[in-house]
Each structure stands twice: as C-alpha cells, then as structure tokens.
Amino acid sequence: QVQLVESGGGLVQPGGSLRLSCAASGSIFRINDMGWYRQAPGKERELVASITSTGITSYADSEKGRFTISRDNNKNTVYLQMNTLKPEDTAVYYCNGEVRTGPSTPIFISYWGKGTLVTVSS
C-alpha cells in the first residue's frame, strides 16, 4: 500500500511564508507526476502546482511568482514553498502522486494524502 503524508501546515499572518512537505512511502517502484491541490470551505478542489519526475513545473496563475514546487526523488518527497501568503490562500492542502507500484505493473495510480490545513489570518 502507498501512503502520502503532508506536513508543515499551520497559522501564518498575511505576507508570511510556509513550507509544506509530502512524503510518500510503501510499495513504490516509481513516482511520475506529483502535485499540490487545495480546497477552501465551500469551494471545489483546485490545482495549485505540479511537477514532473524530471522537474518540469506548472503553477496556477494566482500562485505564480509566490509559490515554488520542488521534489526529492531519493526521498520520494515533494515540497511547496509558499511566500507572500494571502487570506485567500487559506485551505486544506492535499498532496497527490502518480505511483507505479511494481516493475510488472505498467500503469500509474493516483494516491492522495489526508491534507494539511493552512490558515492565513491576522
């Protein structure tokens, strides 16, 4: 079984910074794309940033220039550095990974973490 565990959430003032981490463990042969999503109260889940296995990144327009996604393939970990945080960034942030669980299994399966809460408020 594959598990993804997020950490690093908390309360921060507007303009502050926070770094989220997501560590994957279990039956992992390879992880392809990874990403961070968020869901605010009363709203649908949205993509924040994604990164390929080779380091190609993509960001939503609202986060461009403020957030940075990165990964450490040796540790099966993806990070999200969040700077200049705004109240509208308040949400539960979820980690996602496309995981291949074995050498005889050619497909990738999406796995999700339980989420970590980020609250931006003064």
Side-chain angles (χ1 to χ4, degrees), residues 76-99:
N76 289 328
T77 300
V78 63
Y79 307 93
L80 184 67
Q81 178 67 48
M82 304 184 293
N83 299 324
T84 320
L85 284 163
K86 305 174 181 179
E88 49 264 44
D89 294 319
T90 297
V92 176
Y93 285 71
Y94 297 92
C95 174
N96 171 262
E98 296 287 324
V99 181

Side-chain angles (χ1 to χ4, degrees), residues 2 7 18 21 28 33 39 41 44 46 54-55 58 60 65 71 77 79 85 89 93 100 113 120:
V2 176
S7 62
L18 211 58
S21 299
I28 300 173
D33 294 350
Q39 187 168 21
E44 296 183 350
E46 64 178 0
T54 56
S58 181
R71 65 189 290 170
T77 300
Y79 307 93
L85 284 163
D89 294 319
Y93 285 71
R100 184 179 174 185
V120 185

Side-chain angles (χ1 to χ4, degrees), residues 7-115:
S7 62
L11 176 64
V12 64
Q13 292 186 337
S17 299
L18 211 58
R19 191 194 193 203
L20 306 182
S21 299
C22 173
S25 62
S27 301
I28 300 173
F29 179 71
R30 186 192 303 176
I31 305 179
N32 197 25
D33 294 350
M34 301 188 77
W36 286 96
Y37 295 75
R38 69 185 182 187
Q39 187 168 21
K43 297 184 178 180
E44 296 183 350
R45 184 188 64 180
E46 64 178 0
L47 175 66
V48 177
S50 64
I51 184 169
T52 70
S53 61
T54 56
I56 301 174
T57 61
S58 181
Y59 300 91
D61 289 341
S62 61
E63 289 78 42
K64 192 176 300 181
R66 299 189 299 122
F67 291 8
T68 302
I69 188 171
S70 61
R71 65 189 290 170
D72 186 335
N73 291 335
N74 292 327
K75 297 180 179 179
N76 289 328
T77 300
V78 63
Y79 307 93
L80 184 67
Q81 178 67 48
M82 304 184 293
N83 299 324
T84 320
L85 284 163
K86 305 174 181 179
E88 49 264 44
D89 294 319
T90 297
V92 176
Y93 285 71
Y94 297 92
C95 174
N96 171 262
E98 296 287 324
V99 181
R100 184 179 174 185
T101 59
S104 62
T105 305
I107 63 173
F108 291 90
I109 301 175
S110 291
Y111 288 89
W112 294 88
K114 297 295 184 181

